[in-house]
Amino acid sequence: MQKRCSCGDVMPMKLRTVIYSNKVEIDNVPIYSCPSCNRSEVFPEVKPDLTGLIGQLGAQPAKQTFLFNEWNEWAKLLVEAYYEHKHSDPAIVRKMTEERIDMLLDLLAVAQATGDPDWMADIHKRLSQLSRSMLQYG
Ligand SMILES: [Zn+2]
């Protein structure tokens, strides 16, 4: 998981803490960071969820900590790949993503059978987060 920085160096992906308004910590955000020029960039695939989370905090947020992996299914998957499998091989992450999508599609069928709209909406949200992350593979 890496991309080329504008300075020419390679930016590996890291799970980092984003601080908002000096008060709110958002942990485990997937970010590309450049070891040469220190430029960093939030993964475009997770940006909508990060800005959505920050948007909900309002202008005067209380001191608090969020785990971004509880908001974004793909961040959750990356955290699992990092801490459980000890690597971030793009092929492994891709395979895990595909398996998670299959699992969620199965779950969606169960949710539809129960007719629970909140549960279905939650699964839809996770599926859209994962399919957005698949765009990077082209
Ligand atoms: Zn750079």
Side-chain angles (χ1 to χ4, degrees):
M1 313 296 276
Q2 57 189 34
K3 71 174 281 185
R4 181 75 60 182
C5 180
S6 51
C7 77
D9 206 345
V10 168
M11 304 167 90
M13 189 208 76
K14 289 188 174 143
L15 294 165
R16 300 206 5 202
T17 299
V18 171
I19 313 259
Y20 172 68
S21 274
N22 288 322
K23 281 186 184 159
V24 181
E25 278 187 25
I26 306 169
D27 291 335
N28 290 330
V29 179
I31 284 175
Y32 290 116
S33 51
C34 178
S36 297
C37 68
N38 286 324
R39 207 166 76 86
S40 62
E41 194 179 301
V42 173
F43 260 47
E45 295 84 3
V46 304
K47 229 177 198 168
D49 290 314
L50 184 63
T51 51
L53 174 56
I54 287 170
Q56 287 177 28
L57 297 171
Q60 300 286 332
K63 196 171 163 60
Q64 56 198 306
T65 304
F66 288 100
L67 291 171
F68 189 61
N69 47 305
E70 289 177 356
W71 283 75
N72 182 283
E73 190 72 13
W74 193 55
K76 187 170 152 188
L77 205 124
L78 289 172
V79 169
E80 286 174 20
Y82 261 59
Y83 297 114
E84 290 173 24
H85 302 277
K86 305 289 175 209
H87 52 61
S88 65
D89 182 338
I92 302 275
V93 173
R94 179 179 187 163
K95 187 166 176 294
M96 285 175 70
T97 307
E98 287 168 351
E99 285 171 2
R100 184 67 53 92
I101 287 173
D102 286 347
M103 189 272 279
L104 286 170
L105 287 172
D106 288 347
L107 202 59
L108 186 62
V110 178
Q112 277 165 343
T114 66
D116 183 338
D118 292 339
W119 192 14
M120 284 190 280
D122 179 61
I123 296 169
H124 270 295
K125 187 187 81 182
R126 295 186 204 197
L127 277 168
S128 68
Q129 290 167 340
L130 288 178
S131 44
R132 209 156 54 212
S133 82
M134 291 300 280
L135 295 175
Q136 68 182 311
Y137 302 111

